[in-house]
Amino acid sequence: MSLVSQLMDALQIMPGVGPKSAQRLAFFLLQKDRSGARHLASILNQALDQVKECQQCRTLTEHNVCALCSNDQRSWRQLCVVESPADIIQIEQATDYKGRYFVLHGKLSPLDGMGPSELKLNQLIDILAKPECQELIVATGSTVEGETTAQYLAGLAEKGGIKASRLAHGVPLGGDLEYIDNNTLAHAFAGRTHY
Amino acid sequence: MSLVSQLMDALQIMPGVGPKSAQRLAFFLLQKDRSGARHLASILNQALDQVKECQQCRTLTEHNVCALCSNDQRSWRQLCVVESPADIIQIEQATDYKGRYFVLHGKLSPLDGMGPSELKLNQLIDILAKPECQELIVATGSTVEGETTAQYLAGLAEKGGIKASRLAHGVPLGGDLEYIDNNTLAHAFAGRTHY
């Protein structure tokens, strides 16, 4: 197989890249932006060599302890638990949260063989045992597994005598009621807030 | 800047990849499929090192002369001119064409400074001078520049005493008339074929 075809195949491991876009990407990389492509290959290799999980929060970083965890300004009073490193970026961009994070790298899903031990929650339990820790903010997704995980983590927090909270569910900002699914709407209706 | 952010930036050189998909791709490559990512980086590097233009048809290949050009079974009687290497793949997949190819790597576009000399058409003129060559099939796109290029190439062929042909325009197969633009429809109407 020619190198160009091999490159097209290799590009198709990426989510959302089918044969047609792989072909487009391959020719783009080889024809239009060779220096960008060279840079991409080298950064990808470097990242694969060096990026690992932060020893504290388990997000992805090339350091032993990530930038967020090494920031002394951030408080240990609040700990926000997320499913993936991408969620941290989202929360950092959207909010002014100044507490700590913990990445689950998954969610409880007994059918897929993901139990509390697969999620290696011992590290989380250790953090919750810190005397400074006062609130566990559970920011898992609103799927069945996300909710199950949230329930379980809330239970853990309670055992440790720590307040647990969950992201609010409801109508997204800028969302027309017409286009919102019934479950969300029922939830938003039942959980209406008073002026 | 962290390596993960650098990777996200590097991924954004690719067409159709914005900040959000770059983030998704970066985490996919670093978390979900490290071996695939490693392979991608190495193939991309290899391709950048070795892939160049075929000396004959100018498609992209790691050999001096590409597989199509080194195939003795293909006839020199027909020469199909395309804008880019991707077009060759398309035509090979769709048709049973057994002639030769020539890649322009662009199209005539005086406004962008692309004249006949920028397209290095001398090589094409040399091929057209071969005694075996009988037909020039112009398979450039149906844009203004594609048509201009087609006209110019047809002129070249005529000068060399060679028949020139152009891909047919009309209603795409499976296309509902309702959704076809007026220009195409007018063209298809005027160029209707008789039973």
Side-chain angles (χ1 to χ4, degrees):
Chain A
M1 197 159 57
S2 76
L3 268 178
V4 178
S5 313
Q6 286 182 51
L7 178 57
M8 287 178 198
D9 281 357
L11 285 164
Q12 284 183 55
I13 60 155
M14 297 193 288
V17 177
K20 203 79 193 184
S21 19
Q23 181 183 311
R24 189 165 157 242
L25 290 178
F27 284 121
F28 176 86
L29 293 169
L30 294 174
Q31 290 192 289
K32 299 285 161 68
D33 192 356
R34 280 197 165 230
S35 70
R38 185 70 79 180
H39 178 66
L40 172 58
S42 116
I43 285 286
L44 179 54
N45 256 330
Q46 260 187 69
L48 287 165
D49 285 340
Q50 297 174 34
V51 171
K52 53 194 184 296
E53 291 182 11
C54 166
Q55 287 173 0
Q56 225 165 69
C57 75
R58 310 204 301 197
T59 193
L60 295 182
T61 174
E62 68 266 36
H63 307 293
N64 289 331
V65 172
C66 74
L68 290 173
C69 286
S70 10
N71 182 349
D72 291 337
Q73 302 300 311
R74 300 192 75 107
S75 154
W76 276 107
R77 288 179 55 202
Q78 293 175 305
L79 181 71
C80 177
V81 177
V82 295
E83 291 176 16
S84 79
D87 300 335
I88 296 187
I89 300 182
Q90 287 272 101
I91 294 175
E92 283 296 295
Q93 280 171 359
T95 73
D96 58 356
Y97 177 65
K98 288 285 171 246
R100 301 282 172 165
Y101 289 99
F102 185 80
V103 180
L104 294 174
H105 287 294
K107 38 199 168 186
L108 291 180
S109 172
L111 285 179
D112 304 324
M114 285 294 270
S117 55
E118 279 73 24
L119 288 184
K120 299 184 195 124
L121 293 181
N122 288 341
Q123 212 177 331
L124 177 62
I125 294 171
D126 289 349
I127 301 176
L128 291 179
K130 276 178 192 277
E132 308 95 299
C133 191
Q134 294 180 13
E135 182 183 1
L136 179 73
I137 302 173
V138 185
T140 54
S142 182
T143 57
V144 175
E145 294 88 358
E147 293 295 347
T148 315
T149 312
Q151 287 289 340
Y152 183 86
L153 295 179
L156 272 189
E158 211 179 318
K159 254 189 249 168
I162 286 166
K163 195 169 55 171
S165 62
R166 178 97 179 93
L167 297 195
H169 294 312
V171 178
L173 294 197
D176 238 337
L177 286 201
E178 205 181 337
Y179 300 112
I180 283 165
D181 67 291
N182 288 344
N183 282 337
T184 304
L185 189 53
H187 202 104
F189 200 86
R192 63 196 177 275
T193 55
H194 291 277
Y195 288 98
Chain B
M1 198 160 57
S2 77
L3 267 178
V4 178
S5 313
Q6 286 181 51
L7 178 58
M8 287 178 199
D9 281 357
L11 285 164
Q12 284 183 56
I13 60 155
M14 298 194 288
V17 177
K20 203 79 192 185
S21 20
Q23 181 183 310
R24 190 167 156 240
L25 290 178
F27 284 121
F28 176 87
L29 293 169
L30 293 175
Q31 289 191 289
K32 299 283 161 70
D33 192 356
R34 280 200 164 229
S35 70
R38 186 70 79 177
H39 177 68
L40 172 57
S42 117
I43 285 285
L44 180 53
N45 255 330
Q46 261 187 68
L48 287 166
D49 284 340
Q50 297 174 33
V51 170
K52 52 193 185 299
E53 290 182 11
C54 166
Q55 287 174 0
Q56 227 166 67
C57 75
R58 310 204 300 198
T59 193
L60 294 182
T61 174
E62 68 266 36
H63 306 293
N64 288 331
V65 173
C66 75
L68 289 173
C69 285
S70 12
N71 181 348
D72 291 337
Q73 302 299 310
R74 300 191 75 107
S75 153
W76 277 106
R77 288 179 55 201
Q78 293 175 306
L79 181 71
C80 177
V81 178
V82 295
E83 290 177 16
S84 80
D87 300 335
I88 295 187
I89 300 183
Q90 287 271 100
I91 294 175
E92 282 296 296
Q93 280 170 359
T95 74
D96 58 356
Y97 177 65
K98 289 284 172 245
R100 301 281 173 165
Y101 289 100
F102 186 80
V103 180
L104 294 175
H105 287 293
K107 38 200 166 184
L108 292 179
S109 173
L111 284 180
D112 304 323
M114 285 293 271
S117 55
E118 279 74 23
L119 288 183
K120 299 183 194 125
L121 293 180
N122 289 340
Q123 212 177 329
L124 176 62
I125 294 171
D126 289 349
I127 301 176
L128 291 178
K130 276 180 192 277
E132 306 95 300
C133 191
Q134 294 180 14
E135 182 184 0
L136 180 74
I137 303 173
V138 185
T140 53
S142 182
T143 55
V144 175
E145 292 90 356
E147 293 296 347
T148 315
T149 313
Q151 288 288 340
Y152 184 86
L153 295 179
L156 272 190
E158 210 180 320
K159 256 189 247 166
I162 285 167
K163 197 169 55 171
S165 62
R166 178 97 178 93
L167 297 194
H169 294 312
V171 179
L173 295 197
D176 238 336
L177 286 201
E178 206 181 336
Y179 299 112
I180 283 164
D181 66 292
N182 289 344
N183 281 337
T184 304
L185 189 53
H187 202 104
F189 200 85
R192 63 194 177 278
T193 56
H194 291 277
Y195 288 98

